[in-house]
Every structure is written in C-alpha cells, then in structure tokens.
Amino acid sequence: MTQLYVGNLSADGDEKAIRALFSNYGVVREVLMKNGYAFVEFEDARSADTAMRDLNGSDILGHPMIVEPSHQQRLSSRRKPMCGRVEVVSIPPPMTLQQIEHLLTQFGPVLKMEIEESDFGMKKIVATFECQESSQRAAATYGDEHCTPRVSM
C-alpha cells in the first residue's frame, strides 16, 4: 500500500503544505487535493505506513487529520482526463476562497485552485477543472468583463 487517504482537512490546506508534511516520511509521488480531503501517493509502502501511523489524528490547522489506506486506484497509473484551466481575475478583496470555489464547482469538479494577491489588493485564482467542458462553461458564464469575477481561459 503506497497511497493514503487524508481526510478532515481545513479549507485553508493546500497541496504544497500537504506535500511538505508528508515528504518528511519519504518520497511523495503525487498529491491529489479535493474539497476537504486529499490522496497522497508515496514511492514505497514503508514511508506510507510510517506517515499513516504518525499523522493519523494529528492536528493540522485546527482539525484532527484522518490518515488511512486509500481504496482508490494508484494516482500515477490512472488515465488522466483532459482537464481545463481557467484564470479568475478581478476578484474583490472581501470575496473568500470558499465563495469562489462555490461559484466554480457549479460547473463541475475543481481539482485544484491556486490563489495570488495582486499589488492592488485584488485576488487572482487559477482553477483546474476535472474536464475541459467544465472550464468552458465557467468561462462562458463569467467571461463577460462586466461580471465579477471575470474568468478567462
């Protein structure tokens, strides 16, 4: 067993933080983030076992993390669908990541969201959808420059 399910994650958790935490236990092949959980694939079973034993129940960002064997097929062997990326710009500062995620997930599963702050206090997000059609629907809906947020492909 080299793949772990990591549950009960805070909405503030991100792929880099999860990768950094689990890399303390061995070589991490891949991290797949979802909403509130992740899958972490190690190069070897011993690293996965040690990480699971040490991290299950530990506190991360105020939440007791669940770390257990994954029943999903290996991430690296899975055929990856053609995904779509959109850039969400002109986001007013009071808008939260959760609000933006809620707006985007109505078009389909979002695999990853990266956020950046601009010099003017506005936010920019790059969202990767599970499929190209979802990203196209989001861009078509929010692509009007008079709409906030504005989405471009």
Side-chain angles (χ1 to χ4, degrees), residues 89-94 115-124 148:
V89 295
S90 302
I91 303 167
I115 188 166
E116 297 174 11
E117 295 279 337
S118 74
D119 296 333
F120 308 107
M122 300 294 270
K123 295 176 189 171
K124 170 184 153 183
T148 301

Side-chain angles (χ1 to χ4, degrees), residues 7-94:
N8 201 31
L9 296 175
S10 163
D12 298 328
D14 66 2
E15 182 180 339
K16 288 180 186 176
I18 296 297
R19 183 177 294 277
L21 177 64
F22 282 85
S23 291
N24 292 321
Y25 295 91
V27 177
V28 174
R29 285 186 181 168
E30 188 171 359
V31 175
L32 177 63
M33 293 292 297
K34 296 289 187 173
N35 190 16
Y37 65 95
F39 294 101
V40 177
E41 184 175 340
F42 280 94
E43 194 158 288
D44 65 87
R46 182 175 292 174
S47 298
D49 288 339
T50 304
M52 182 173 56
R53 184 182 63 244
D54 289 357
L55 295 175
N56 187 39
S58 64
D59 186 69
I60 182 167
L61 297 172
H63 295 84
M65 199 169 32
I66 298 167
V67 183
E68 58 190 31
S70 171
H71 301 294
Q72 183 179 9
Q73 63 181 330
R74 281 187 47 184
L75 295 174
S76 59
S77 67
R78 188 175 56 175
R79 184 172 174 257
K80 296 185 181 191
M82 186 172 144
C83 60
R85 293 172 54 97
V86 293
E87 185 177 282
V88 184
V89 295
S90 302
I91 303 167

